[in-house]
């Protein structure tokens, strides 16, 4: 027997009067803010998206987030999300005695950061509701219980929120821009949960922490996007290199960066990636930012090219990879870009121009590479 109907699950968080949000008031960047944790069912009823502040939904990002939430629904794996940032625009009142913020039923909080996360939860909710309605029509009792349980867990999922109480739409746009430009620090709790993340994220973490070759290169493990001056690679760059090396794709088009994979797959890619970085260290100068060969775009272009050479037989061939890498000892790095191309061209164009240079250089210098192998022999 099901514990509750779908309508009871959802309306259990609603009130005919004011919406009450228990939370603490503080000041953040000089503005009054409320910090709270809400179940998704309550959050669904109080947020709204202002399209003049938010960008359009990116379908690919939405799909990835839905896949991530499905881990929690289908496999009961723990999942982590950064908090949602909202703006009250002066709506609501805070009760200092009860330590609760109250909104009138018609008042809404506007999304500053977290639109895709909220959309993913809402889209999955709608999908489950549709599936439950079909199961009811067919009188599929077991399926109804399964879907009701998933909906209950979605509705009850706790989400941290920060509400700016009195900023205007212009300030919201600036805040949204600042949030999405700054490197995102990875807190200790998120670092622990990296094993629930995508394949290349887990592989990158393992390499950066355990592989001696990658440790020599130095990867900043404490930001998702940027890096400190003390590190050569950002964590995000290492992921991009792995996607390029194993798939011949830029990270945005990677197909194998999913949540479901075996330990054997992880071990195999770990060994190949370690071989790759060891081979780079053997032929390139010491890893330093002043050497163009260690720059971001060049590293991604290299990985794209070496993927092509390593997979000509249809599988990833370690010996073909090691053979191709020998060409790097002869590359004339200052010939890759002409004039101000290194600074003027868009990022993707710089990567592809470097890739094309490596392709042509390799095809035209096979004799040099064979002589190197004879000398080594």
């Amino acid at each position: 027997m099901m514990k509750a109907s779908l309508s009871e699950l959802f309306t259990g968080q609603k009130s005919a009067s004011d919406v009450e949000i228990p939370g603490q008031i503080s000041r953040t960047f000089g503005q009054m803010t409320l910090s709270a944790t809400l179940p998704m069912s309550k959050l669904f009823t109080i947020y709204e998206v202002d399209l003049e502040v938010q960008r359009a939904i990116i379908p690919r990002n939405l799909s990835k987030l839905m896949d991530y939430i499905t881990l929690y629904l289908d496999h009961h794996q723990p999942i982590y999300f950064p908090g949602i940032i909202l703006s009250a625009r002066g709506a609501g009142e805070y009760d200092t005695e009860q330590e609760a913020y109250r909104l009138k039923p018609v008042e809404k909080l506007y999304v500053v950061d977290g639109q895709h996360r909220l959309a993913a939860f809402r889209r999955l909710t709608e999908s489950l509701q549709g599936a439950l309605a079909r199961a009811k029509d067919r009188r599929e009792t077991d399926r109804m219980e399964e879907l009701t349980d998933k909906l209950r867990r979605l509705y009850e999922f706790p989400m941290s929120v920060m509400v700016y109480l009195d900023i205007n739409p212009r300030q919201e746009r600036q805040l949204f821009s600042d949030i999405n430009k700054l490197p995102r620090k990875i807190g200790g709790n998120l670092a622990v949960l990296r094993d629930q993340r995508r394949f290349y994220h887990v592989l990158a973490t393992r390499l950066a922490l355990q592989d001696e070759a990658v440790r020599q290169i130095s990867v900043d493990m404490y930001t998702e996007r940027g890096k400190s001056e003390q590190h050569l690679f950002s964590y995000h760059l290492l992921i991009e290199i792995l996607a390029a090396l194993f798939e011949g794709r830029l990270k945005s088009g990677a197909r194998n960066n999913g949540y479901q994979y075996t330990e054997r797959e992880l071990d195999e890619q770990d060994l190949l990636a370690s071989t790759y970085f060891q081979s780079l260290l053997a032929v390139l100068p010491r890893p330093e930012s002043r050497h163009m060969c260690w720059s971001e775009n060049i590293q991604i272009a290299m990985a794209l090219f070496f993927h092509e050479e390593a997979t000509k037989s249809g599988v990833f061939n370690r010996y073909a990879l090691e053979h191709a890498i020998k060409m790097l000892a002869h590359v004339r790095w200052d010939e890759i870009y002409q004039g101000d191309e290194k600074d003027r061209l868009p990022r993707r164009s710089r990567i592809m121009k470097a890739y094309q240079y490596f392709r042509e250089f390799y095809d035209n210098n096979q004799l040099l590479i064979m002589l190197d192998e004879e000398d080594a022999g």
Side-chain angles (χ1 to χ4, degrees):
M1 182 176 178
M2 289 180 289
K3 295 180 181 179
S5 70
L6 177 59
S7 59
E8 287 171 336
L9 284 173
F10 189 63
T11 58
Q13 294 292 347
K14 291 185 176 180
S15 170
S17 56
D18 294 354
V19 178
E20 184 172 288
I21 304 173
Q24 300 293 320
I25 290 287
S26 60
R27 296 193 72 84
T28 306
F29 303 125
Q31 302 289 340
M32 293 296 294
T33 57
L34 172 81
S35 297
T37 300
L38 298 176
M40 287 305 304
S41 56
K42 180 174 283 189
L43 196 47
F44 282 152
T45 67
I46 62 174
Y47 86 84
E48 193 163 304
V49 175
D50 184 341
L51 295 179
E52 291 189 2
V53 174
Q54 294 293 307
R55 60 192 174 195
I57 289 288
I58 301 172
R60 182 176 65 248
N61 293 355
L62 181 61
S63 177
K64 289 179 179 179
L65 285 169
M66 290 172 67
D67 289 345
Y68 185 50
I69 299 169
T70 300
L71 281 180
Y72 166 68
L73 295 175
D74 290 350
H75 305 287
H76 292 267
Q77 290 193 21
I79 57 175
Y80 169 87
F81 285 101
I84 303 293
I85 299 179
L86 305 169
S87 171
R89 298 183 181 178
E93 293 182 351
Y94 186 72
D95 185 331
T96 54
E97 290 186 4
Q98 298 294 320
E99 294 188 333
Y101 177 69
R102 294 190 178 90
L103 284 170
K104 299 293 183 186
V106 296
E107 293 179 317
K108 298 293 182 181
L109 303 179
Y110 292 87
V111 178
V112 175
D113 186 62
Q115 179 189 7
H116 282 80
R117 279 161 269 164
L118 291 168
F121 273 97
R122 186 175 286 279
R123 190 72 61 85
L124 278 173
T125 299
E126 293 168 352
S127 176
L128 289 171
Q129 288 171 342
L132 180 57
R134 291 189 294 273
K136 284 182 176 179
D137 290 341
R138 297 167 185 165
R139 303 192 179 189
E140 299 170 342
T141 305
D142 291 345
R143 178 66 170 158
M144 289 165 61
E145 290 184 356
E146 174 195 346
L147 293 168
T148 299
D149 178 66
K150 287 183 178 181
L151 277 166
R152 179 179 293 106
R153 288 191 287 131
L154 265 187
Y155 289 146
E156 294 175 352
F157 188 87
M159 183 68 76
S160 298
V161 299
M162 175 180 285
V163 183
Y164 280 80
L165 298 181
D166 199 20
I167 62 174
N168 57 41
R170 181 187 61 78
Q171 292 170 306
E172 291 170 14
R173 286 192 290 272
Q174 184 61 54
L175 182 58
F176 174 77
S177 176
D178 291 344
I179 290 169
N180 285 278
K181 283 178 182 175
L182 293 173
R184 297 194 173 182
K185 295 288 180 182
I186 301 175
N189 54 347
L190 179 52
V192 170
L193 288 170
R194 273 189 169 159
D195 283 345
Q196 279 78 50
R197 305 181 79 202
R198 294 180 180 273
F199 179 79
Y200 291 129
H201 292 72
V202 177
L203 179 58
T205 300
R206 180 189 285 198
L207 287 164
L209 296 180
Q210 300 177 13
D211 187 79
E212 183 55 36
V214 178
R215 291 177 69 176
Q216 287 183 49
I217 296 171
S218 179
V219 179
D220 189 342
M221 292 296 294
Y222 297 100
T223 62
E224 284 280 4
R225 295 178 180 173
K227 66 180 179 65
S228 67
E229 294 181 358
Q230 292 76 32
H231 297 85
L232 187 62
F233 282 8
S234 69
Y235 175 66
H236 185 266
L237 174 59
L238 181 56
I239 293 169
E240 287 190 293
I241 291 171
L242 293 172
L245 178 65
F246 291 120
E247 296 192 37
R249 300 171 181 273
L250 298 180
K251 177 177 173 288
S252 59
R255 293 177 177 175
N256 300 322
N257 198 23
Y259 296 102
Q260 300 296 313
Y261 47 85
T262 66
E263 194 67 22
R264 179 179 176 180
E265 290 171 326
L266 192 61
D267 289 341
E268 289 174 350
Q269 302 287 65
D270 187 358
L271 179 60
L272 289 171
S274 180
T275 298
Y276 175 68
F277 288 111
Q278 288 174 23
S279 299
L280 291 187
L281 289 171
V283 296
L284 294 178
R286 181 176 178 176
E288 294 178 359
S289 59
R290 63 190 178 91
H291 298 304
M292 180 185 287
C293 58
W294 290 106
S295 64
E296 179 174 317
N297 297 324
I298 297 295
Q299 282 289 317
I300 296 171
M302 274 187 209
L304 289 170
F305 167 71
F306 290 130
H307 166 84
E308 191 172 274
E309 287 302 309
T311 58
K312 279 186 172 179
S313 64
V315 296
F316 199 100
N317 187 309
R318 169 181 173 178
Y319 301 103
L321 174 66
E322 292 174 332
H323 171 78
I325 286 176
K326 288 180 168 49
M327 80 162 190
L328 296 178
H330 305 285
V331 166
R332 293 180 283 275
W333 303 99
D334 59 351
E335 294 181 1
I336 295 177
Y337 300 113
Q338 305 299 317
D340 63 348
E341 286 180 337
K342 183 169 70 70
D343 302 312
R344 174 176 55 81
L345 292 175
R347 182 175 188 260
R348 186 185 183 94
S349 298
R350 280 176 280 168
I351 292 171
M352 298 316 297
K353 184 171 180 62
Y355 159 81
Q356 192 59 41
Y357 173 87
F358 293 135
R359 173 78 275 157
E360 293 174 0
F361 186 89
Y362 183 76
D363 291 342
N364 295 331
N365 290 276
Q366 285 294 317
L367 180 59
L368 286 174
I369 299 170
M370 288 189 287
L371 288 174
D372 280 349
E373 290 182 330
E374 288 180 7
D375 291 342

